[in-house]
Amino acid sequence: MFRKKALTRIEIAAVLAERWSGRAYDPDRPVERDKLLALLEAARWAPSCFGDQPWRYLIWERLAEPERWRRALGCLTEGNRRWAFRAPLLLLACADSRFRDGRPNPWGPYDTGAASMSLAIEAMALGLMVHQMGGFDAGKIRAEFAIPERYECMAMMTVGYQLPEDQIPDELKEREYAPRSRRPLAESFFMGEWGNSFEP
Ligand SMILES: Cc1cc2nc3c(=O)[nH]c(=O)nc-3n(C[C@H](O)[C@H](O)[C@H](O)COP(=O)(O)O)c2cc1C
């Protein structure tokens, strides 16, 4: 697997350092059912406010349901469709806007993001690649798949195996090889007071 390990000041867990959002999927290598099950179990066991588990996922398998998969692909922006069409699995993460008892749940998107990250980390551990996408038409996918109003469509994602490095298409090479970067720690993490940068 082509790796783009995060540059960290200190060693972190390999699955975290090595997770990255690739675009070059192997279209001929489906995701095994037990691996999909493992991804969903990882998401299911994410933490959530009051244990309410606000996440819901819609899953489309290209080989099993090509027509539905194509309709889901059609909800992505053109830029995302250009590479996502190779992925054998498409997912949509939705967040319940209400708790079980009907009160509004402001943490629904937060908890759903945690579940998606758990899924992405499990994928990394299994040698799979996940790429989350905000670039999709939420109204269109809601209408296409009759998603109830109380669920917010948060992100779509591709899941699959990476293409062998010598098969990465030319049009993807630049982005696949671009270095990963993050703001310095001091700009995101404050000790005690806002703006008081963390210093190791
Ligand atoms: C909620 C969310 C939405 C994203 N939307 C898109 C998208 O529409 N298209 C895309 O190519 N990448 C998208 N990304 C991927 C990010 O660009 C990527 O995670 C970021 O650049 C960091 O790269 P890394 O995941 O490889 O570390 C999205 C990621 C997240 C978490």
Side-chain angles (χ1 to χ4, degrees), residues 4 6 16-17 19-23 76-77 79-80 83 116-117 130-136 154-156 175 178-182:
K4 295 212 306 190
L16 293 174
R19 182 216 58 81
W20 68 286
S21 306
R23 294 181 176 85
L76 289 171
T77 58
N80 282 334
W83 54 267
S116 294
M117 186 60 180
V130 165
H131 196 128
Q132 302 184 66
M133 295 166 288
F136 70 100
M154 302 304 308
M156 292 185 73
R175 281 196 291 185
R180 297 176 62 211
S181 70
R182 290 297 187 272

Side-chain angles (χ1 to χ4, degrees), residues 67-87:
E67 194 42 48
R68 286 200 176 109
W69 179 90
R70 226 186 320 278
R71 278 167 52 211
L73 185 79
C75 295
L76 289 171
T77 58
E78 200 201 326
N80 282 334
R81 275 201 305 270
R82 235 177 270 142
W83 54 267
F85 76 91
R86 290 191 189 84

Side-chain angles (χ1 to χ4, degrees), residues 4 20 23 79 83 171-179:
K4 295 212 306 190
W20 68 286
R23 294 181 176 85
W83 54 267
E171 75 270 16
L172 287 182
K173 275 189 178 142
E174 193 182 329
R175 281 196 291 185
E176 292 306 86
Y177 287 107

Side-chain angles (χ1 to χ4, degrees), residues 31-43:
V31 175
E32 300 85 343
R33 194 37 85 101
D34 62 334
K35 293 207 174 163
L36 173 58
L37 172 62
L39 300 187
L40 305 187
E41 284 288 11

